[in-house]
Amino acid sequence: MKLWDEEIEGYRVEARAMMEHLPVDQFNVEGDNSDDPMVHVRSMREILIQMEAEPSPMAEDSTIPGPAGDIPVRLYIPENPKAMFLHIHGGGWYVGRPKMSDTANADIANKHGLALLSVDYRLAPEHPYPAAPDDCEAAAAWMLEHGPKLWGTDKMFIGGESAGGHLSAVTLLRVRDRLGAIDRVLGANLVFGCYDMRGTPSFFDNGGRPEVLTPEGLQQAVGFFIPGMSESQRRDPDVSPLFADLSGLPPCLISTGTVDHIADDSYFLAARMAAAESPVELAVYPDSPHGFTVFPTEMNKAHERRIDAWIASLLP
């Protein structure tokens, strides 16, 4: 069974060359020599802020009500939206903010006519589980309630990358199980997420290929998000969506690179969704690490085209 077509195969030479120059030291989320983990957290947050592109003139900052007070959100609203999109940013649950995805979010909103809201959920370790999922659920509920009046649509997409892919999967399940509104979700775009907090095989060994993630960095990030959880607690479907009942879900596009330390999470989730008879597509990009979407390669352009075609196929 081939996991990618000849077009993707043709981009492998460029992808391998990019891997040889991967700025691993810049992106690795491993700890430093300080006894205070917050020193590392603050440092990583500042690095990501410095790497942000120019803010989009389309973006507007606002707030919505949340379980622990107002939640900051960033809005990208085109004229006459066809549907909504709840975007959940990545960053290992402890870094990142909506501004880091300004360019991509504005592009999706404009290209497809989507009222896009990116939620600035509470971050670990100051706010461990369930703070982030609770904020994301609150954002989904707010959009479902107010979307028809504000933007003339009651349908939405959910999606995100890395930790945002995980939180998107959790939010999708909460929309089904807690909000009873899964029929209003057009689809979920899950990009290189972590779906089993115990650690899948690739979590510990990706074949020794250069990567922006490491097992140590991943364990640290998971520890920030779910501190002190036992293995049995990590199997809770609200923590590890891989263990959920995955039936009755809308179309899902699950994407990963083969070099990613959490590639197995995507493989396993797609297989379990297919076995549960939920419509799912698995997009696999060879010789690509975690976060390959930040690099200006043909592989990333192919990934963007796949997402565009998938969204367009599901719009009303």
Side-chain angles (χ1 to χ4, degrees):
M1 177 176 64
K2 285 189 68 68
L3 294 178
W4 54 85
D5 59 22
E6 292 304 315
E7 177 191 358
I8 298 297
E9 181 68 23
Y11 301 145
R12 296 186 72 174
V13 172
E14 181 192 36
R16 293 188 190 114
M18 184 272 291
M19 291 287 292
E20 293 177 0
H21 302 285
L22 197 66
V24 172
D25 293 339
Q26 184 176 5
F27 290 101
N28 265 339
V29 288
E30 293 184 39
D32 50 33
N33 294 324
S34 172
D35 292 331
D36 181 3
M38 287 306 301
V39 172
H40 167 64
V41 169
R42 286 189 289 267
S43 174
M44 288 301 302
R45 289 174 182 172
E46 184 59 34
I47 288 172
L48 283 187
I49 289 173
Q50 292 174 1
M51 292 171 58
E52 290 176 354
E54 286 295 314
S56 167
M58 182 184 190
E60 296 182 10
D61 291 321
S62 186
T63 61
I64 61 172
D70 286 346
I71 304 171
V73 298
R74 199 157 170 85
L75 299 169
Y76 311 76
I77 312 299
E79 292 186 8
N80 303 314
K82 299 176 184 177
M84 301 176 286
F85 194 116
L86 171 60
H87 174 259
I88 306 175
H89 70 78
W93 306 281
Y94 74 96
V95 299
R97 59 181 185 169
K99 279 186 180 180
M100 65 192 280
S101 303
D102 253 20
T103 301
N105 284 340
D107 184 60
I108 287 176
N110 280 318
K111 189 178 296 183
H112 299 288
L114 299 176
L116 192 150
L117 180 152
S118 187
V119 55
D120 197 359
Y121 55 88
R122 286 170 289 166
L123 298 175
E126 303 98 314
H127 305 286
Y129 172 88
D134 287 350
D135 286 354
C136 294
E137 179 189 349
W142 186 90
M143 294 179 76
L144 290 167
E145 179 182 356
H146 296 281
K149 182 177 180 179
L150 289 174
W151 305 309
T153 176
D154 67 349
K155 303 294 184 182
M156 70 187 301
F157 291 90
I158 298 173
E161 308 79 31
S162 192
H166 163 266
L167 292 170
S168 294
V170 171
T171 303
L172 181 68
L173 294 166
R174 287 188 175 201
V175 169
R176 182 192 67 185
D177 301 336
R178 301 188 183 190
L179 304 182
I182 199 64
D183 59 313
R184 295 173 60 185
V185 180
L186 296 171
N189 181 37
L190 310 177
V191 183
F192 40 71
C194 180
Y195 309 115
D196 182 352
M197 292 295 164
R198 303 171 310 158
T200 56
S202 61
F203 185 108
F204 303 100
D205 182 7
N206 74 335
R209 302 289 299 279
E211 233 283 71
V212 299
L213 297 180
T214 64
E216 295 78 17
L218 278 167
Q219 288 172 329
Q220 181 183 61
V222 169
F224 286 157
F225 179 55
I226 50 169
M229 275 199 181
S230 66
E231 181 167 332
S232 62
Q233 290 173 319
R234 295 183 183 205
R235 288 198 294 269
D236 185 323
D238 197 54
V239 175
S240 294
L242 190 64
F243 291 89
D245 169 9
L246 299 173
S247 62
L249 296 177
C252 292
L253 176 61
I254 299 175
S255 306
T256 190
T258 60
V259 182
D260 197 326
H261 265 286
I262 47 177
D264 284 346
D265 293 62
S266 291
Y267 303 151
F268 296 171
L269 185 68
R272 292 205 68 239
M273 279 189 180
E277 299 184 274
S278 288
V280 61
E281 297 180 31
L282 176 64
V284 178
Y285 299 92
D287 300 304
S288 297
H290 190 78
F292 74 94
T293 53
V294 303
F295 301 105
T297 62
E298 292 302 318
M299 198 74 81
N300 182 36
K301 293 177 185 177
H303 168 71
E304 292 174 351
R305 290 193 296 271
R306 179 74 179 269
I307 291 176
D308 285 339
W310 178 79
I311 291 175
S313 72
L314 296 172
L315 283 172

